[in-house]
Amino acid sequence: MILLAVGGCASALRLGHLDRALYILGNVSSAFSRELFAVGFTGLMTLIYVILSRKDYPGATKVFGILAAIGGILLPLIAGASYMMPARPAWDSFALPLMYLGTGIGMGFVLSAAFVYMKGDDEDKALSLTLATVGIIASIVVTLVYVVWIAIAPYPDPTRSFMRLAGGDLAPAFWLGVVLVGMGGPLAVLVMAKRGALANEPEDGAKAAEPTVASVDGSGTASAAPAAAKADKLSTANALLIALDCLVVGSVVLRIIMYTVATSVEYLIY
């Protein structure tokens, strides 16, 4: 909810004056209006879902949870599509909204997995790590797709070429921020997190044996085991948060590159 509110405010204020945003809202066919409406819809569905999840309304909770998820998928697609225009070739492709969606899925799935390890149920841990893996792979794939589009976009120009990313003034940002931190970092951290989680999984029958040992020697084994398990969960959660930080850095740098290479084809404007 907080992130949606911050994103909505940033979207409304990017025009420089709030009165312009309110004016454009009157034109429901504009991309900017669709983006703000999507923010409002997703925020409202999420708020209702959070309220119902604390009550005993499982059916309604599921419905609004699905609606919030649909809004969460449509919002980055609508936001990315609002930039598509023939006059700016580096933006004029569905690779752009896909990049918005994929990087958002990556950050969302990894963040949710970290919350599961911090406060969730043990039976959800394996699924959360699987979703985090899917999210990170999705983020990497859509990043590569968008970089390929920059390389093959029509009306080629040095200001919006792949060579500017590979060896030009944007190379440090691309190779360090996007490739090393934004793509390699989450993968490396996730591999370590999954290895740690598997290494700390109890063997068959281990959970059943713990109470017996504690009852025999009374040495505090029963309290030591849960403490170790809690430490393992927090260690995995911290690793996932590091992966999230890498994804955020990579996404921010990629968007900086997106704006930098968005030079216009003048004769399509004038």
Side-chain angles (χ1 to χ4, degrees):
M1 288 297 300
I2 295 175
L3 294 176
L4 278 172
V6 172
C9 291
S11 179
L13 296 174
R14 71 184 178 188
L15 297 178
H17 297 279
L18 186 59
D19 57 328
R20 295 177 183 173
L22 296 175
Y23 175 77
I24 292 178
L25 280 175
N27 180 12
V28 294
S29 63
S30 72
F32 180 75
S33 297
R34 291 195 294 268
E35 182 179 332
L36 285 184
F37 288 144
V39 170
F41 173 80
T42 306
L44 180 60
M45 296 302 103
T46 304
L47 177 61
I48 296 175
Y49 168 76
V50 170
I51 294 173
L52 291 177
S53 65
R54 298 177 180 274
K55 309 292 182 180
D56 190 19
Y57 303 107
T61 301
K62 184 176 181 179
V63 170
F64 282 98
I66 293 173
L67 290 175
I70 293 173
I73 293 173
L74 292 178
L75 176 56
L77 291 175
I78 293 172
S82 66
Y83 289 97
M84 293 173 58
M85 57 189 76
R88 298 187 184 274
W91 289 356
D92 195 30
S93 168
F94 201 69
L96 185 61
L98 278 182
M99 183 264 284
Y100 270 59
L101 175 62
T103 54
I105 286 176
M107 290 182 283
F109 280 3
V110 172
L111 179 59
S112 65
F115 276 128
V116 168
Y117 270 85
M118 287 188 289
K119 299 186 177 295
D121 297 327
D122 288 345
E123 57 266 24
D124 295 330
K125 292 192 298 183
L127 176 60
S128 69
L129 273 182
T130 300
L131 290 177
T133 304
V134 171
I136 289 174
I137 293 175
S139 180
I140 292 173
V141 169
V142 297
T143 297
L144 292 175
V145 168
Y146 181 63
V147 170
V148 169
W149 170 252
I150 294 175
I152 66 173
Y155 312 108
D157 187 86
T159 61
R160 49 182 178 270
S161 67
F162 174 73
M163 293 309 300
R164 191 178 177 191
L165 277 64
D169 60 313
L170 294 176
F174 176 69
W175 293 112
L176 295 178
V178 176
V179 177
L180 182 62
V181 177
M183 298 169 63
L187 272 180
V189 173
L190 183 67
V191 168
M192 291 187 291
K194 294 186 75 169
R195 286 181 178 176
L198 291 175
N200 292 317
E201 284 291 326
E203 306 216 351
D204 292 342
K207 290 184 177 179
E210 285 176 4
T212 304
V213 173
S215 62
V216 171
D217 58 20
S219 60
T221 305
S223 62
K230 183 177 180 180
D232 294 336
K233 288 172 67 176
L234 290 177
S235 176
T236 305
N238 289 335
L240 289 168
L241 290 176
I242 293 174
L244 175 65
D245 292 337
C246 292
L247 287 172
V248 171
V249 171
S251 297
V252 170
V253 175
L254 183 60
R255 280 158 177 75
I256 293 173
I257 291 174
M258 179 197 99
Y259 282 106
T260 306
V261 299
T263 54
S264 63
V265 182
E266 289 80 1
Y267 66 82
L268 293 179
I269 300 176
Y270 302 108

